[in-house]
Each structure stands twice: as structure tokens, then as C-alpha cells.
Amino acid sequence: MAVQQFKAESKKLLDLMIHSIYTHKEIFLRELISNASDALDKLYFKSLTDTSISLKKEDYKIHLSIDKDLRTITISDNGIGMTEQELENNLGTIAKSGSLDFKKENTGDDIDIIGQFGVGFYSAFMVASHVTVITRPYGSEQAYKWESSGAEGYTITPCQKDSFGTDIILVVKENADEENYDEFLDQYRLVSIVKKYSDYIRYPITMYQEHSRKKEGSEDEYETYTELETLNSMIPLWKRDKKDVSDEEYNNFYKEKFMDFSDPARIISSKTEGSATYNALLFVPGRAPFNYYTRDYEKGLQLYASGVLIMDKCADLLPDYFSFVKGLVDSQDLSLNISREMLQHDNQLKLIRTTLERKIKNELLSMLRNDREKYDEFFKNFGLQLKAGCYEGYGINKDNLKDLLLFHSAKQNKLVTLAEYAESMPKTETTEQKYIYYAAGSSVEQLSKLPATERVLDKGYDILYLTDDIDEFALQVLREYDGKEFRNISSGEDLGLETEQEKEEAKAQNEQNKDLFAAMKSALGDKVSEVRLSTRLKNHPVCITSEGALSIEMEKVLNSMPNAEKVQSKKILEVNGTHPIFEVLQTLEKDGKTEKLGDYANVLYNQALLIEGLPVEDPVAYAQAICSIMAEKA
Ligand code: ADP
């Protein structure tokens, strides 16, 4: 009997399988079971029109067996089977585009792809040293045997088989140095592989299971017995009607599948038909995974093609800002052998992603509206991600996300949405609020003590306290909410707090004290770009504000990043004209005590830095300056 060579392309894929160092070799079983399931499907469809097929739906089966002595695993089905020609065509060549693509892509060490896509029948060679396929096509008496030990080629010979269908017999490789193949001869291991990957195959996957029991009438004698068991549940949870599944079932499913100790915060189960037909079962975790905010975290949903897992973490199904969502999508429109490359361009997948995104958002909004406590908790876990999502890509997703954000309200001392902030703004003509105010710093406590805070709150306006590094960047990208611009209360920009008259008065006073401010500016040099009278201070003597897009807090954030180029915000020293110190400064200037005025300016500047949470530039000089002023008074 002539040994036939594999076609060139097939040989390459085969080589890859034989020499695979892939750690999840277990997926061979998924592949063979899914082929068997396809063969059953084909016969079933045929039976719909061919009345000579008397098989009932429940007669279709996949059966597994192990023979430890012979080191074999057998996967049998009573499906459509293959003719001699089909054997030749199907198992001697790779005809399908998915695998061809796979081969093309797999030039590097991209071996991981094996775990993500159907690589088909040849994956058997990851665990088997020899593979035999005995098959008899439905409607024919003649069976054929295909045999191969891999690289040398294959043979096809006629043989006997009692009934139609296919048996695939793998001779499991011997254990090698670091490779354990014996595990695949263990019944429990096989059962767990079936449960993991093929639980939802729509046909029963049966196997005789060995159990042990006490011998009848005996106290301590045991006997083993075997029992035919169905290993798979056949009906996926996500295909069941929402109302028939208890929360507990969903919770357990989530915890088991996604390895979490806590129940999910939210369950999203949906069935979509039409341009994309799929079921989705999604979960918002109850807490952030320990590695969530690290590079190690991998986003993605499990992707099933008609009940068969084809990808464990399909990243393309989720936008980054919803990367915390876990779950799965089961699509009727995808082929099992679709490659990663093709998947990325798959329109079906894009459609699914868009609808899922909308579903997740709506679900979060509904949680926000109807279960605020839970939402606050959710936001503590994943709010940072949403805010980062707002900022990313220059804000392309900001409109999608802005209503999901929460910030700490100074007035209400709790987290509020931007809409809630906007709603609570004073609306009468005289009190009309021009901006949405915020302050950025390290803690609510620190921010509540900022010099500028007092004045804004006194006016009856609320302030959002931003304490996460990303916050101010996110708001800058948002720019406005409900037509109101965001304003940092520590920025030198107009805060819209004064009346026209007050503004005029301030201008006149600045003019009157022109020389004083010039002298102070000259003593401070480049540290500040201007010294001027403040309109934002009530009780504090001085404060520092910034000019331009870069705020003082942003300067801190950016400079704290590793390897960052140092940036500096443009600072303005503002002096409170109603504070007693102001008179002292005026007197010093009038009396021509320039040097002393310079010392005072420096001390005040450093005080303002301290209040802002910025480091004093020269602590020794600052301490000495204060000391000399104190000594003088005594
Ligand atoms: P794929 O299943 O993606 O087409 P495979 O390499 O796994 O690729 O299988 C190649 C072909 O061999 C299948 O398309 C199918 O026609 C045939 N085949 C494999 N296993 C069986 C089986 N158990 N019964 C009938 N045909 C089979």
C-alpha cells in the first residue's frame, strides 16, 4: 500500500502540531469533538429532506473511550462519515481559508494562536504519535481507514465498520522530558477538558466512567464499576431564557468561569437577532481584579461560534474603557475556523461590539439611576478606567462616557454626576453660575482648605474636588457640560465671581499698587509671571494661580511620571488686598525698603506654594527668612 504525502501546506501545519510546545495541547479534544458535532449536524440536516434516515434527534451521539494499556483515546460519532475521496481531500489537504491564514500568520512564535482558533483535525498530532480514522459514509456499506504517524505521510485502505460514522483513534505520545502526555489517558482529565471547551455541544458526549463503591454486604471491601455518563450539559446558560435562570445560577457560572470570589455587580444577558444573531452574557465584576490597573490585565470576552469556544479573550469585542466587563458572546454567524486576522476585519464582530457597547452603557446608566449605592461601589472599582477612557484618543469617546462619571461634590460631600452638579447650580438672574468649578489636588481635605475654595463656596457655587491624577485631564478633554465650561478655581482665568463694579475696583487698585507689585515681581524673578491683586481670596493673604492650559496640579502629575520631561506651569502670585499684610507691604514699598519687601514677597510666595501642596524651593532660605522677620519683631 502506497504511502501518500501530505500536500505542502498541510505538511507545514502538521509539522507545527507535531513539534508544538504549546501549553494548551488539550484543545485537540475540542477540535475533534467539534468535527464530530459538525458531522452529526450534516447528517441531521440531510435527514430533514431524506426520509430514509430514520435516526431520531436523540440518537445522535459522540462517544469517548480510553484504553490505558494501548494508550489510546477514541472519539466516535454516528454522523455523516466520509467517502474515500473525502478522506483524501479532507485529511490530506487543508482546504480551508482559516488554516491557510493561520499558516501565513504563523511565521513567528505566534504559537498562541493554536489556542484561539480552530486548527482542526491536525491538532491531534500535538498529543498523538499515531492517528487512525475509520469512517463509513452514511448510505454506503464500505468503510475506509486513514492512518498516519505524522510527517511520513498517510495511507488509506478499505476496512470494515459496523455502522456509519467516524472513529478517530489517537495513540497518545509517551511522556517526554518535560511533557506529560499520560494525563490525557486519565478519565477525570478528559472529563474536565470536555466540560471546559465542549460543554455546550448540542449532542451528548458520553463516556464510560469508572467509579468505586463498597461491595454489597461488606464493610471495607470496594469494587469498581463503570457507568455510561453524559459529560456535557448541552444547553448553554446563555441560551436559556433569562427568566428561567436564577441569579444564583448566573453568579455561580460567573465565579467559576471567570475565577472570581465575589458575585458580579451586574449581569447582562441578551439575545439579539437580525443583522447579527448572537447571545451575550456579560458581567460587571463586583471588584477590580488585583492586576486590573496593570499591563498584565488582558481584556476580552469569550467568543463562541454556535456553542463552540473559539477564542478565550476576544479583545476586539470590548472598547478599552469597558475592559472590566467579563463574559461571552455566542454567535451564529461566525465560522469555527476564522483566524484572528479575519476576525479583526469581520463586520459581524464589529456590529456585535457596537451593540454590546450600547448595552453595557445602558446597563451602567440604569444602575446609576436605580441602585446608586451599588453604582458608587462600581465607580470606586472602575471609575478610573472610565475617566481614562474619556481622556484617551483626545476625547473621541467622551460623549459616550460623560454621564457615567462621578466626582466629589464639595457642597454635598458625596459623589455626584455632572448632570447632578449642573442641576443644582443656582439659576436666578443675580446668582447665575457661569462655570462648573473644580479644584484638583491630593485629597478632599486638602482641597477644602485651598484659599480659593472659600470664596466660590461663599457665592453659593459647588466645587468638584478632583483627587485622581487623571481627573483634570479628563475634564479638560470634556471642556464643557451642558453648555457650561469647566474652570479650575486655582487658575488665573476669570472665575466669573465678581460683578462688573468689583472688577473695575480691582483694576483701579492694581493700577494704584503698580509699583508695589512690580517690586515684588522683581524680587521673585522667574518664579512667577505676575504679581497682582486677588479677587478670589477671602481670609488668606496670598495664593498661587496658574495661567494657560497647564494647571499646577497637572504640573505635579506630569512631573511625577517616570522619565517625564519636566514641565512648569505659568504661576501668578495673587495678594489679598483686604488682608492686614497688604498694608505692611504697601508701607515697605512706600518707605523704599526694597530688600525687606523682597524677603516678604519670597516668604509669601513660599507660603502659597505650601498651601497648594507644592514643595518649597529652598526650605533653608525660607526658614531663615521667617526667622529673621520673627527676630526683628521681638
Ligand atoms: P474543519 O473541520 O475546520 O473543516 P478539519 O481539519 O478539522 O477542518 O477537518 C477537515 C474536514 O474533515 C472537515 O471539514 C470534515 O469535512 C472532515 N471531517 C473531520 N472530522 C470528521 C468526522 N468526525 N466526520 C466526518 N467528517 C469529518
Side-chain angles (χ1 to χ4, degrees):
M1 130 189 88
V3 174
Q4 307 188 50
Q5 296 301 309
F6 287 102
K7 299 275 179 327
E9 313 236 74
S10 313
K11 195 164 183 322
K12 278 187 197 155
L13 183 56
L14 191 68
D15 277 346
L16 195 78
M17 293 301 157
I18 295 170
H19 304 293
S20 166
I21 47 157
Y22 183 59
T23 40
H24 302 290
K25 292 179 195 266
E26 62 191 30
I27 58 116
F28 78 93
L29 194 59
R30 172 193 79 177
E31 295 300 309
L32 299 181
I33 286 176
S34 111
N35 279 348
S37 168
D38 287 348
L40 293 171
D41 274 344
K42 284 178 197 161
L43 187 60
Y44 178 70
F45 285 126
K46 198 172 156 79
S47 77
L48 298 178
T49 50
D50 184 342
T51 47
S52 75
I53 303 174
S54 58
L55 226 55
K56 291 194 287 292
K57 183 99 212 206
E58 58 272 22
D59 296 332
Y60 294 85
K61 277 193 179 66
I62 300 166
H63 183 73
L64 302 183
S65 58
I66 307 173
D67 187 322
K68 279 194 176 154
D69 299 326
L70 294 175
R71 294 189 70 81
T72 58
I73 303 171
T74 304
I75 299 110
S76 308
D77 66 72
N78 54 348
I80 191 107
M82 281 175 272
T83 62
E84 184 180 14
Q85 193 59 48
E86 282 168 338
L87 256 187
E88 170 81 51
N89 291 347
N90 293 338
L91 305 187
T93 332
I94 318 164
K96 40 187 204 295
S97 51
S99 296
L100 279 176
D101 271 20
F102 159 71
K103 186 199 67 64
K104 255 187 261 151
E105 272 177 31
N106 206 70
T107 43
D109 53 354
D110 200 4
I111 206 92
D112 196 39
I113 200 160
I114 298 175
Q116 309 195 332
F117 298 101
V119 286
F121 172 77
Y122 290 153
S123 62
F125 287 98
M126 288 200 289
V127 301
S129 54
H130 190 86
V131 178
T132 308
V133 179
I134 297 173
T135 184
R136 190 180 127 190
Y138 182 83
S140 159
E141 293 301 313
Q142 184 60 58
Y144 289 91
K145 177 150 80 173
W146 179 100
E147 268 189 285
S148 171
S149 298
E152 297 88 60
Y154 59 92
T155 58
I156 297 177
T157 46
C159 70
Q160 291 291 311
K161 188 177 185 303
D162 287 346
S163 68
F164 57 88
T166 305
D167 298 334
I168 314 256
I169 304 148
L170 313 181
V171 178
V172 174
K173 291 185 193 177
E174 294 290 339
N175 279 354
D177 287 351
E178 286 182 353
E179 302 278 2
N180 176 11
Y181 294 105
D182 285 359
E183 60 178 292
F184 299 118
L185 294 166
D186 177 67
Q187 68 168 6
Y188 298 108
R189 180 78 172 98
L190 279 204
V191 171
S192 82
I193 300 173
V194 172
K195 287 219 160 89
K196 181 168 174 189
Y197 296 102
S198 314
D199 190 51
Y200 310 116
I201 291 285
R202 296 179 305 276
Y203 303 100
I205 303 166
T206 58
M207 182 160 132
Y208 280 100
Q209 300 260 64
E210 243 179 52
H211 297 291
S212 114
R213 66 180 163 209
K214 263 200 192 122
K215 258 192 180 157
E216 224 170 295
S218 144
E219 277 301 298
D220 47 9
E221 267 188 282
Y222 286 83
E223 61 179 4
T224 53
Y225 68 100
T226 51
E227 207 167 43
L228 186 68
E229 285 176 25
T230 299
L231 311 182
N232 55 330
S233 73
M234 288 183 279
I235 315 153
L237 190 72
W238 59 91
K239 288 247 168 111
R240 285 163 57 190
D241 227 329
K242 224 189 297 193
K243 64 177 186 351
D244 298 333
V245 185
S246 68
D247 278 354
E248 201 190 348
E249 274 178 283
Y250 278 131
N251 289 347
N252 287 339
F253 176 83
Y254 164 76
K255 285 187 282 194
E256 208 176 297
K257 202 161 185 90
F258 300 103
M259 288 182 278
D260 196 349
F261 304 115
S262 2
D263 287 341
R266 205 77 178 176
I267 302 158
I268 310 170
S269 159
S270 85
K271 204 183 250 174
T272 308
E273 273 166 35
S275 40
T277 304
Y278 68 89
N279 292 76
L281 181 54
L282 309 183
F283 301 92
V284 177
R287 57 186 187 118
F290 73 96
N291 64 350
Y292 185 62
Y293 290 105
T294 72
R295 271 167 207 273
D296 292 341
Y297 182 80
E298 240 186 293
K299 69 161 182 173
L301 300 177
Q302 282 196 333
L303 183 61
Y304 286 77
S306 304
V308 183
L309 179 65
I310 59 169
M311 195 169 179
D312 199 34
K313 279 200 172 136
C314 181
D316 293 327
L317 282 170
L318 286 176
D320 279 345
Y321 49 83
F322 288 153
S323 63
F324 49 82
V325 174
K326 305 264 189 196
L328 57 91
V329 170
D330 188 352
S331 161
Q332 251 86 101
D333 311 313
L334 290 173
S335 118
L336 186 59
N337 285 306
I338 190 161
S339 75
R340 180 192 298 176
E341 160 100 344
M342 284 163 70
L343 213 44
Q344 265 168 3
H345 302 290
D346 194 273
N347 281 331
Q348 216 61 39
L349 209 68
K350 281 188 194 141
L351 209 65
I352 297 177
R353 176 192 162 121
T354 314
T355 45
L356 286 185
E357 204 177 315
R358 202 165 45 229
K359 282 200 174 107
I360 296 168
K361 182 183 165 186
N362 287 340
E363 201 64 33
L364 293 176
L365 282 176
S366 129
M367 177 157 55
L368 174 69
R369 266 182 235 118
N370 307 323
D371 195 347
R372 187 53 177 268
E373 218 174 294
K374 207 162 191 179
Y375 190 83
D376 282 1
E377 188 64 32
F378 155 78
F379 199 80
K380 272 187 205 127
N381 283 316
F382 301 113
L384 214 50
Q385 182 67 58
L386 297 180
K387 292 186 283 193
C390 237
Y391 172 67
E392 268 157 17
Y394 305 101
I396 46 169
N397 296 305
K398 61 180 183 183
D399 288 332
N400 229 350
L401 298 175
K402 63 183 179 193
D403 285 314
L404 293 173
L405 304 183
L406 299 179
F407 297 100
H408 188 97
S409 145
K411 259 173 137 179
Q412 303 186 48
N413 195 26
K414 63 172 192 185
L415 293 172
V416 296
T417 62
L418 294 174
E420 285 161 353
Y421 180 101
E423 248 158 57
S424 72
M425 298 198 323
K427 298 253 166 16
T428 65
E429 218 167 287
T430 45
T431 57
E432 167 98 34
Q433 187 174 338
K434 268 194 174 154
Y435 304 109
I436 296 180
Y437 298 105
Y438 70 86
S442 55
S443 69
V444 165
E445 160 112 77
Q446 179 232 337
L447 292 171
S448 65
K449 289 182 185 150
L450 281 184
T453 300
E454 217 176 359
R455 183 93 205 282
V456 179
L457 289 179
D458 264 10
K459 275 267 177 186
Y461 303 150
D462 198 359
I463 304 171
L464 299 173
Y465 287 155
L466 313 184
T467 51
D468 280 324
D469 285 356
I470 188 80
D471 291 352
E472 198 175 4
F473 294 89
L475 286 195
Q476 284 215 346
V477 159
L478 277 178
R479 286 206 44 242
E480 49 94 21
Y481 186 87
D482 222 8
K484 302 271 180 195
E485 272 181 48
F486 294 104
R487 270 290 140 92
N488 186 337
I489 58 164
S490 298
S491 90
E493 284 175 298
D494 172 45
L495 292 184
L497 297 176
E498 315 93 38
T499 60
E500 283 308 313
Q501 195 192 345
E502 281 170 326
K503 270 189 201 161
E504 284 305 315
E505 278 170 22
K507 214 167 143 192
Q509 252 193 316
N510 261 317
E511 190 56 33
Q512 277 164 25
N513 294 290
K514 202 169 63 188
D515 295 339
L516 168 62
F517 293 141
M520 288 175 79
K521 157 77 181 115
S522 124
L524 292 171
D526 286 343
K527 292 174 197 159
V528 297
S529 62
E530 193 187 343
V531 179
R532 71 181 178 210
L533 206 70
S534 182
T535 52
R536 74 192 69 227
L537 290 175
K538 198 177 157 212
N539 291 318
H540 288 73
V542 283
C543 72
I544 278 189
T545 61
S546 66
E547 211 172 37
L550 189 68
S551 76
I552 293 167
E553 189 57 25
M554 287 162 94
E555 170 189 326
K556 272 194 269 179
V557 172
L558 292 174
N559 287 344
S560 71
M561 289 183 183
N563 311 322
E565 223 170 274
K566 295 289 176 237
V567 295
Q568 204 169 11
S569 55
K570 218 168 161 198
K571 297 184 186 68
I572 297 164
L573 182 65
E574 294 195 358
V575 188
N576 185 350
T578 60
H579 194 280
I581 190 74
F582 191 61
E583 254 178 70
V584 177
L585 294 171
Q586 281 176 317
T587 312
L588 286 175
E589 199 268 327
K590 229 188 298 153
D591 297 350
K593 294 190 173 154
T594 317
E595 198 179 321
K596 200 156 180 194
L597 179 62
D599 286 348
Y600 274 51
N602 267 300
V603 167
L604 288 171
Y605 167 72
N606 280 316
Q607 278 184 356
L609 286 182
L610 283 174
I611 293 169
E612 279 297 332
L614 289 166
V616 169
E617 281 156 20
D618 185 347
V620 176
Y622 173 59
Q624 269 170 355
I626 289 192
C627 202
S628 75
I629 292 166
M630 286 162 77
E632 197 181 312
K633 282 244 164 140

